[in-house]
Amino acid sequence: VPGIEGDEAIVSKPIEEAVRKAHAIFYVTRTARPPQTHEGDIGSKKGTLEKIKQHLDSQTEVWSIYNHPITNPRQLRNPLINDDIQGGLKALDDVLKKELKDQYCQNLVVSARPAYLALTECVIPGSKDADEKRKFSERIGSSNEILQLSQINDFIDKLQTSIIGDY
C-alpha cells in the first residue's frame, strides 16, 4: 500500500500481489486533503495517487479512511470533523472521484486510537497505553461509548453491509 515508510522495494512484490487480488482498497490518511501526486520533471518518483492507480484492477473499489488523530478524551466528546476537515475531505473526494472515476466510493471517518484503547485487553501495567486506556475509560465511560464516539461502529457497519456485503 502506498505510504509505507522506509524501503518500499523490500515489500513491493507481496503488496502488488495482494492488492491485485483485492476487491477493495483502503487509502488511510491522517490528513484531510487529497493524496500527493507526482510533481516535477523526475518521472521515477510516483506520488500516492499514481501508486493507487497503478495497483487498481477494473473491479477494484477504493475507499478513503480519514483517521482523525485523537489522543485526549476531551477531543472525542467533540464531533470528529469540523468545517475545515469537512472541506478537506470534500477536496479529497473530488480529486479521487476525478482520478479514479467509478472505482472511488467515498470517505469514511474514524478515530482508531481511542477504539484501539477501548478494545485492547493486553496492556502492560504502567505503560503509556495503560495510562491512556484508563483516562479514556474514566472520562468517557464504557468501551461501547468510546467505540461509538470514535465512529468505529459506523465503520464496521459500512464494512459489513456495503463493502463485504456487496462482494
Side-chain angles (χ1 to χ4, degrees):
V1 289
I4 293 172
E5 299 294 327
D7 187 5
E8 288 185 30
I10 297 171
V11 293
S12 64
K13 189 163 181 84
I15 289 172
E16 287 174 19
E17 290 173 15
V19 171
R20 272 195 204 102
K21 295 176 186 176
H23 80 280
I25 294 175
F26 296 101
Y27 166 64
V28 182
T29 181
R30 291 188 309 177
T31 56
R33 65 174 184 254
Q36 68 184 26
T37 58
H38 167 69
E39 294 179 13
D41 296 329
I42 303 170
S44 63
K45 182 104 171 127
K46 294 179 182 170
T48 300
L49 189 55
E50 286 85 9
K51 291 177 186 178
I52 291 171
K53 288 168 81 172
Q54 166 188 328
H55 295 298
L56 291 181
D57 189 39
S58 62
Q59 301 298 313
T60 308
E61 296 177 347
V62 178
W63 299 77
S64 62
I65 299 175
Y66 171 64
N67 181 15
H68 187 73
I70 289 182
T71 57
N72 184 317
R74 281 179 286 173
Q75 292 175 294
L76 196 57
R77 287 282 183 200
N78 298 323
L80 287 185
I81 54 174
N82 58 28
D83 290 342
D84 289 339
I85 293 171
Q86 186 64 41
L89 292 176
K90 172 141 179 30
L92 181 145
D93 276 347
D94 291 347
V95 167
L96 290 178
K97 193 67 169 169
K98 178 183 173 203
E99 294 293 325
L100 304 175
K101 314 249 181 294
D102 291 337
Q103 289 181 281
Y104 181 66
C105 297
Q106 72 180 78
N107 73 65
L108 306 168
V109 177
V110 299
S111 185
R113 181 76 181 162
Y116 160 76
L117 294 170
L119 291 171
T120 189
E121 295 178 10
C122 273
V123 291
I124 299 169
S127 68
K128 180 183 173 190
D129 285 354
D131 290 342
E132 285 184 53
K133 182 176 175 70
R134 180 187 48 76
K135 286 178 189 174
F136 273 91
S137 294
E138 287 174 355
R139 295 191 180 131
I140 302 294
S142 72
S143 294
N144 287 336
E145 180 72 10
I146 295 169
L147 295 173
Q148 192 66 35
L149 292 172
S150 69
Q151 295 187 18
I152 288 294
N153 290 339
D154 295 338
F155 173 72
I156 292 168
D157 184 55
K158 181 64 102 175
L159 189 63
Q160 291 174 332
T161 59
S162 297
I163 300 170
I164 295 173
D166 287 348
Y167 181 63

Short mmCIF file of all heavy atoms in Angstrom, two decimals, residues 121-167:
data_model
loop_
_atom_site.label_atom_id
_atom_site.label_comp_id
_atom_site.label_asym_id
_atom_site.label_seq_id
_atom_site.Cartn_x
_atom_site.Cartn_y
_atom_site.Cartn_z
N GLU A 121 -7.14 -5.59 25.47
CA GLU A 121 -7.19 -6.19 26.80
C GLU A 121 -5.79 -6.47 27.33
O GLU A 121 -5.62 -6.74 28.51
CB GLU A 121 -8.01 -7.48 26.75
CG GLU A 121 -9.46 -7.23 26.41
CD GLU A 121 -10.27 -8.51 26.31
OE1 GLU A 121 -9.77 -9.58 26.68
OE2 GLU A 121 -11.41 -8.42 25.83
N CYS A 122 -4.81 -6.43 26.45
CA CYS A 122 -3.43 -6.73 26.84
C CYS A 122 -2.59 -5.47 26.83
O CYS A 122 -1.98 -5.14 25.81
CB CYS A 122 -2.82 -7.75 25.87
SG CYS A 122 -3.13 -9.44 26.32
N VAL A 123 -2.57 -4.75 27.92
CA VAL A 123 -1.68 -3.61 28.04
C VAL A 123 -0.78 -3.83 29.24
O VAL A 123 -1.19 -4.43 30.23
CB VAL A 123 -2.44 -2.27 28.18
CG1 VAL A 123 -3.15 -1.89 26.90
CG2 VAL A 123 -3.39 -2.29 29.34
N ILE A 124 0.43 -3.38 29.11
CA ILE A 124 1.39 -3.53 30.20
C ILE A 124 1.06 -2.51 31.28
O ILE A 124 0.99 -1.31 30.98
CB ILE A 124 2.83 -3.33 29.68
CG1 ILE A 124 3.14 -4.38 28.61
CG2 ILE A 124 3.83 -3.38 30.82
CD1 ILE A 124 4.42 -4.13 27.85
N PRO A 125 0.84 -2.95 32.51
CA PRO A 125 0.54 -2.01 33.58
C PRO A 125 1.62 -0.93 33.69
O PRO A 125 2.81 -1.22 33.60
CB PRO A 125 0.51 -2.89 34.84
CG PRO A 125 0.19 -4.26 34.32
CD PRO A 125 0.85 -4.34 32.97
N GLY A 126 1.17 0.32 33.81
CA GLY A 126 2.10 1.43 33.92
C GLY A 126 2.61 1.96 32.59
O GLY A 126 3.32 2.95 32.54
N SER A 127 2.22 1.31 31.49
CA SER A 127 2.68 1.75 30.17
C SER A 127 1.85 2.95 29.70
O SER A 127 0.80 3.27 30.27
CB SER A 127 2.55 0.61 29.15
OG SER A 127 1.18 0.32 28.92
N LYS A 128 2.31 3.58 28.64
CA LYS A 128 1.58 4.70 28.04
C LYS A 128 0.18 4.27 27.63
O LYS A 128 -0.80 4.98 27.87
CB LYS A 128 2.35 5.25 26.85
CG LYS A 128 1.69 6.40 26.16
CD LYS A 128 2.47 6.86 24.93
CE LYS A 128 1.67 7.91 24.17
NZ LYS A 128 2.24 8.22 22.89
N ASP A 129 0.08 3.09 26.99
CA ASP A 129 -1.23 2.58 26.57
C ASP A 129 -2.16 2.37 27.76
O ASP A 129 -3.35 2.68 27.69
CB ASP A 129 -1.08 1.28 25.79
CG ASP A 129 -0.58 1.48 24.38
OD1 ASP A 129 -0.44 2.64 23.93
OD2 ASP A 129 -0.32 0.46 23.70
N ALA A 130 -1.63 1.82 28.84
CA ALA A 130 -2.44 1.58 30.04
C ALA A 130 -2.95 2.90 30.61
O ALA A 130 -4.12 3.01 31.01
CB ALA A 130 -1.65 0.81 31.08
N ASP A 131 -2.08 3.91 30.66
CA ASP A 131 -2.48 5.23 31.17
C ASP A 131 -3.56 5.86 30.29
O ASP A 131 -4.55 6.40 30.79
CB ASP A 131 -1.28 6.16 31.27
CG ASP A 131 -0.31 5.75 32.38
OD1 ASP A 131 -0.71 4.97 33.27
OD2 ASP A 131 0.85 6.21 32.33
N GLU A 132 -3.36 5.78 28.96
CA GLU A 132 -4.35 6.34 28.04
C GLU A 132 -5.68 5.60 28.13
O GLU A 132 -6.75 6.22 28.12
CB GLU A 132 -3.84 6.30 26.60
CG GLU A 132 -2.78 7.34 26.30
CD GLU A 132 -2.39 7.33 24.83
OE1 GLU A 132 -3.29 7.42 23.97
OE2 GLU A 132 -1.19 7.23 24.56
N LYS A 133 -5.61 4.28 28.23
CA LYS A 133 -6.83 3.47 28.34
C LYS A 133 -7.61 3.87 29.60
O LYS A 133 -8.82 4.06 29.55
CB LYS A 133 -6.47 1.99 28.38
CG LYS A 133 -7.67 1.06 28.45
CD LYS A 133 -7.23 -0.39 28.38
CE LYS A 133 -8.37 -1.35 28.57
NZ LYS A 133 -9.30 -1.38 27.45
N ARG A 134 -6.90 4.04 30.70
CA ARG A 134 -7.54 4.45 31.96
C ARG A 134 -8.19 5.82 31.81
O ARG A 134 -9.33 6.02 32.21
CB ARG A 134 -6.52 4.45 33.09
CG ARG A 134 -7.08 4.87 34.45
CD ARG A 134 -5.99 5.04 35.50
NE ARG A 134 -4.86 5.83 35.08
CZ ARG A 134 -4.85 7.18 34.97
NH1 ARG A 134 -5.94 7.86 35.26
NH2 ARG A 134 -3.77 7.83 34.58
N LYS A 135 -7.47 6.79 31.21
CA LYS A 135 -8.01 8.14 31.05
C LYS A 135 -9.28 8.14 30.20
O LYS A 135 -10.26 8.80 30.54
CB LYS A 135 -6.96 9.06 30.40
CG LYS A 135 -5.86 9.47 31.33
CD LYS A 135 -4.86 10.34 30.60
CE LYS A 135 -3.63 10.59 31.46
NZ LYS A 135 -2.58 11.32 30.73
N PHE A 136 -9.26 7.41 29.10
CA PHE A 136 -10.45 7.36 28.24
C PHE A 136 -11.61 6.69 28.97
O PHE A 136 -12.74 7.17 28.89
CB PHE A 136 -10.14 6.63 26.92
CG PHE A 136 -9.60 7.53 25.85
CD1 PHE A 136 -8.23 7.72 25.71
CD2 PHE A 136 -10.45 8.20 24.98
CE1 PHE A 136 -7.72 8.56 24.73
CE2 PHE A 136 -9.96 9.05 24.00
CZ PHE A 136 -8.58 9.22 23.87
N SER A 137 -11.33 5.63 29.70
CA SER A 137 -12.39 4.93 30.43
C SER A 137 -12.98 5.82 31.53
O SER A 137 -14.20 5.85 31.72
CB SER A 137 -11.86 3.64 31.05
OG SER A 137 -11.50 2.74 30.05
N GLU A 138 -12.12 6.54 32.25
CA GLU A 138 -12.60 7.41 33.33
C GLU A 138 -13.41 8.58 32.80
O GLU A 138 -14.42 8.96 33.38
CB GLU A 138 -11.42 7.94 34.15
CG GLU A 138 -10.77 6.92 35.04
CD GLU A 138 -9.50 7.43 35.73
OE1 GLU A 138 -9.06 8.58 35.44
OE2 GLU A 138 -8.94 6.69 36.56
N ARG A 139 -12.97 9.16 31.70
CA ARG A 139 -13.60 10.39 31.21
C ARG A 139 -14.77 10.15 30.25
O ARG A 139 -15.66 10.98 30.16
CB ARG A 139 -12.56 11.28 30.56
CG ARG A 139 -11.56 11.76 31.62
CD ARG A 139 -10.66 12.84 31.12
NE ARG A 139 -9.75 13.23 32.18
CZ ARG A 139 -8.45 13.33 32.03
NH1 ARG A 139 -7.90 13.10 30.86
NH2 ARG A 139 -7.69 13.69 33.04
N ILE A 140 -14.73 9.05 29.53
CA ILE A 140 -15.79 8.77 28.56
C ILE A 140 -16.78 7.76 29.12
O ILE A 140 -17.98 7.91 28.96
CB ILE A 140 -15.23 8.24 27.21
CG1 ILE A 140 -14.25 9.24 26.59
CG2 ILE A 140 -16.34 7.88 26.25
CD1 ILE A 140 -14.86 10.54 26.14
N GLY A 141 -16.29 6.73 29.76
CA GLY A 141 -17.17 5.71 30.29
C GLY A 141 -16.88 4.36 29.67
O GLY A 141 -15.73 3.95 29.53
N SER A 142 -17.91 3.71 29.22
CA SER A 142 -17.80 2.34 28.74
C SER A 142 -17.04 2.26 27.41
O SER A 142 -16.95 3.23 26.66
CB SER A 142 -19.19 1.74 28.55
OG SER A 142 -19.83 2.32 27.43
N SER A 143 -16.54 1.08 27.15
CA SER A 143 -15.88 0.82 25.87
C SER A 143 -16.85 1.05 24.71
O SER A 143 -16.46 1.57 23.66
CB SER A 143 -15.35 -0.61 25.82
OG SER A 143 -14.32 -0.78 26.75
N ASN A 144 -18.11 0.68 24.90
CA ASN A 144 -19.10 0.87 23.84
C ASN A 144 -19.28 2.35 23.51
O ASN A 144 -19.44 2.71 22.35
CB ASN A 144 -20.45 0.25 24.23
CG ASN A 144 -20.41 -1.26 24.15
OD1 ASN A 144 -19.60 -1.83 23.43
ND2 ASN A 144 -21.29 -1.90 24.90
N GLU A 145 -19.26 3.22 24.52
CA GLU A 145 -19.38 4.66 24.28
C GLU A 145 -18.17 5.18 23.52
O GLU A 145 -18.30 5.98 22.59
CB GLU A 145 -19.53 5.40 25.62
CG GLU A 145 -19.67 6.90 25.48
CD GLU A 145 -21.01 7.35 24.91
OE1 GLU A 145 -21.93 6.53 24.79
OE2 GLU A 145 -21.12 8.53 24.58
N ILE A 146 -16.98 4.71 23.88
CA ILE A 146 -15.76 5.12 23.17
C ILE A 146 -15.82 4.66 21.71
O ILE A 146 -15.49 5.42 20.80
CB ILE A 146 -14.51 4.56 23.88
CG1 ILE A 146 -14.37 5.19 25.27
CG2 ILE A 146 -13.25 4.81 23.05
CD1 ILE A 146 -13.33 4.53 26.16
N LEU A 147 -16.26 3.43 21.49
CA LEU A 147 -16.38 2.92 20.12
C LEU A 147 -17.39 3.72 19.31
O LEU A 147 -17.18 3.99 18.13
CB LEU A 147 -16.75 1.44 20.13
CG LEU A 147 -15.71 0.49 20.72
CD1 LEU A 147 -16.27 -0.92 20.82
CD2 LEU A 147 -14.43 0.52 19.91
N GLN A 148 -18.48 4.11 19.94
CA GLN A 148 -19.49 4.92 19.26
C GLN A 148 -18.94 6.29 18.89
O GLN A 148 -19.09 6.74 17.76
CB GLN A 148 -20.74 5.06 20.16
CG GLN A 148 -21.93 5.62 19.45
CD GLN A 148 -22.45 4.68 18.37
OE1 GLN A 148 -22.42 3.47 18.50
NE2 GLN A 148 -22.92 5.25 17.29
N LEU A 149 -18.28 6.96 19.84
CA LEU A 149 -17.73 8.29 19.59
C LEU A 149 -16.59 8.28 18.58
O LEU A 149 -16.39 9.24 17.84
CB LEU A 149 -17.27 8.93 20.90
CG LEU A 149 -18.38 9.29 21.89
CD1 LEU A 149 -17.78 9.71 23.23
CD2 LEU A 149 -19.29 10.37 21.34
N SER A 150 -15.84 7.17 18.53
CA SER A 150 -14.73 7.07 17.58
C SER A 150 -15.20 6.70 16.17
O SER A 150 -14.42 6.68 15.24
CB SER A 150 -13.70 6.04 18.06
OG SER A 150 -14.25 4.73 17.98
N GLN A 151 -16.48 6.43 16.05
CA GLN A 151 -17.15 6.05 14.80
C GLN A 151 -16.68 4.71 14.24
O GLN A 151 -16.91 4.40 13.07
CB GLN A 151 -17.05 7.17 13.75
CG GLN A 151 -17.78 8.42 14.16
CD GLN A 151 -17.85 9.47 13.07
OE1 GLN A 151 -17.65 9.21 11.90
NE2 GLN A 151 -18.14 10.70 13.47
N ILE A 152 -16.05 3.91 15.08
CA ILE A 152 -15.64 2.57 14.64
C ILE A 152 -16.86 1.70 14.37
O ILE A 152 -16.88 0.92 13.42
CB ILE A 152 -14.69 1.91 15.68
CG1 ILE A 152 -13.33 2.58 15.65
CG2 ILE A 152 -14.59 0.42 15.47
CD1 ILE A 152 -12.55 2.39 14.36
N ASN A 153 -17.90 1.85 15.19
CA ASN A 153 -19.11 1.05 14.96
C ASN A 153 -19.72 1.37 13.59
O ASN A 153 -20.18 0.47 12.89
CB ASN A 153 -20.13 1.30 16.07
CG ASN A 153 -19.70 0.70 17.39
OD1 ASN A 153 -18.87 -0.19 17.44
ND2 ASN A 153 -20.26 1.21 18.47
N ASP A 154 -19.71 2.65 13.21
CA ASP A 154 -20.22 3.03 11.88
C ASP A 154 -19.36 2.41 10.78
O ASP A 154 -19.87 1.95 9.77
CB ASP A 154 -20.21 4.56 11.72
CG ASP A 154 -21.18 5.24 12.67
OD1 ASP A 154 -22.13 4.58 13.15
OD2 ASP A 154 -20.99 6.45 12.93
N PHE A 155 -18.04 2.43 10.99
CA PHE A 155 -17.13 1.83 10.02
C PHE A 155 -17.38 0.33 9.88
O PHE A 155 -17.46 -0.19 8.77
CB PHE A 155 -15.68 2.08 10.43
CG PHE A 155 -14.68 1.34 9.57
CD1 PHE A 155 -14.44 1.73 8.27
CD2 PHE A 155 -14.01 0.23 10.06
CE1 PHE A 155 -13.54 1.05 7.46
CE2 PHE A 155 -13.11 -0.45 9.28
CZ PHE A 155 -12.88 -0.05 7.97
N ILE A 156 -17.54 -0.36 11.00
CA ILE A 156 -17.81 -1.80 10.98
C ILE A 156 -19.11 -2.09 10.24
O ILE A 156 -19.18 -3.01 9.41
CB ILE A 156 -17.83 -2.38 12.40
CG1 ILE A 156 -16.42 -2.34 13.00
CG2 ILE A 156 -18.39 -3.80 12.42
CD1 ILE A 156 -16.37 -2.62 14.49
N ASP A 157 -20.14 -1.29 10.52
CA ASP A 157 -21.42 -1.46 9.83
C ASP A 157 -21.27 -1.28 8.33
O ASP A 157 -21.78 -2.07 7.53
CB ASP A 157 -22.44 -0.48 10.40
CG ASP A 157 -23.81 -0.68 9.79
OD1 ASP A 157 -24.34 -1.82 9.85
OD2 ASP A 157 -24.37 0.30 9.24
N LYS A 158 -20.55 -0.23 7.91
CA LYS A 158 -20.32 0.02 6.48
C LYS A 158 -19.53 -1.12 5.86
O LYS A 158 -19.84 -1.58 4.76
CB LYS A 158 -19.58 1.34 6.31
CG LYS A 158 -19.30 1.72 4.88
CD LYS A 158 -20.56 1.96 4.10
CE LYS A 158 -20.83 3.43 3.94
NZ LYS A 158 -21.98 3.70 3.09
N LEU A 159 -18.53 -1.60 6.58
CA LEU A 159 -17.71 -2.71 6.10
C LEU A 159 -18.57 -3.96 5.88
O LEU A 159 -18.48 -4.60 4.84
CB LEU A 159 -16.60 -2.99 7.11
CG LEU A 159 -15.50 -3.94 6.74
CD1 LEU A 159 -14.70 -3.42 5.56
CD2 LEU A 159 -14.57 -4.15 7.92
N GLN A 160 -19.43 -4.27 6.85
CA GLN A 160 -20.23 -5.47 6.76
C GLN A 160 -21.38 -5.37 5.75
O GLN A 160 -21.70 -6.36 5.10
CB GLN A 160 -20.82 -5.82 8.13
CG GLN A 160 -19.80 -6.26 9.12
CD GLN A 160 -20.36 -6.45 10.52
OE1 GLN A 160 -21.33 -5.82 10.91
NE2 GLN A 160 -19.73 -7.33 11.29
N THR A 161 -21.97 -4.20 5.60
CA THR A 161 -23.13 -4.08 4.74
C THR A 161 -22.80 -3.65 3.32
O THR A 161 -23.36 -4.20 2.37
CB THR A 161 -24.16 -3.10 5.32
OG1 THR A 161 -23.54 -1.81 5.49
CG2 THR A 161 -24.68 -3.59 6.66
N SER A 162 -21.92 -2.68 3.16
CA SER A 162 -21.67 -2.13 1.82
C SER A 162 -20.43 -2.69 1.15
O SER A 162 -20.42 -2.84 -0.06
CB SER A 162 -21.53 -0.60 1.90
OG SER A 162 -22.71 -0.03 2.35
N ILE A 163 -19.41 -2.94 1.92
CA ILE A 163 -18.14 -3.34 1.29
C ILE A 163 -18.07 -4.85 1.18
O ILE A 163 -18.00 -5.40 0.09
CB ILE A 163 -16.94 -2.75 2.07
CG1 ILE A 163 -17.05 -1.21 2.08
CG2 ILE A 163 -15.63 -3.19 1.45
CD1 ILE A 163 -16.10 -0.51 3.00
N ILE A 164 -18.12 -5.55 2.29
CA ILE A 164 -18.09 -7.01 2.25
C ILE A 164 -19.43 -7.56 1.81
O ILE A 164 -19.50 -8.52 1.07
CB ILE A 164 -17.68 -7.59 3.63
CG1 ILE A 164 -16.25 -7.17 3.96
CG2 ILE A 164 -17.81 -9.11 3.62
CD1 ILE A 164 -15.81 -7.55 5.35
N GLY A 165 -20.50 -6.93 2.25
CA GLY A 165 -21.84 -7.39 1.93
C GLY A 165 -22.14 -7.41 0.44
O GLY A 165 -22.89 -8.24 -0.04
N ASP A 166 -21.52 -6.47 -0.30
CA ASP A 166 -21.73 -6.41 -1.75
C ASP A 166 -20.83 -7.35 -2.52
O ASP A 166 -20.98 -7.51 -3.72
CB ASP A 166 -21.47 -4.97 -2.26
CG ASP A 166 -22.57 -4.02 -1.86
OD1 ASP A 166 -23.63 -4.50 -1.39
OD2 ASP A 166 -22.37 -2.81 -2.00
N TYR A 167 -19.84 -7.95 -1.85
CA TYR A 167 -18.86 -8.74 -2.57
C TYR A 167 -19.38 -10.12 -2.87
O TYR A 167 -19.90 -10.82 -2.09
CB TYR A 167 -17.56 -8.82 -1.78
CG TYR A 167 -16.49 -9.61 -2.46
CD1 TYR A 167 -15.98 -9.18 -3.67
CD2 TYR A 167 -16.02 -10.79 -1.92
CE1 TYR A 167 -15.00 -9.91 -4.33
CE2 TYR A 167 -15.02 -11.51 -2.57
CZ TYR A 167 -14.52 -11.08 -3.77
OH TYR A 167 -13.56 -11.79 -4.41
#
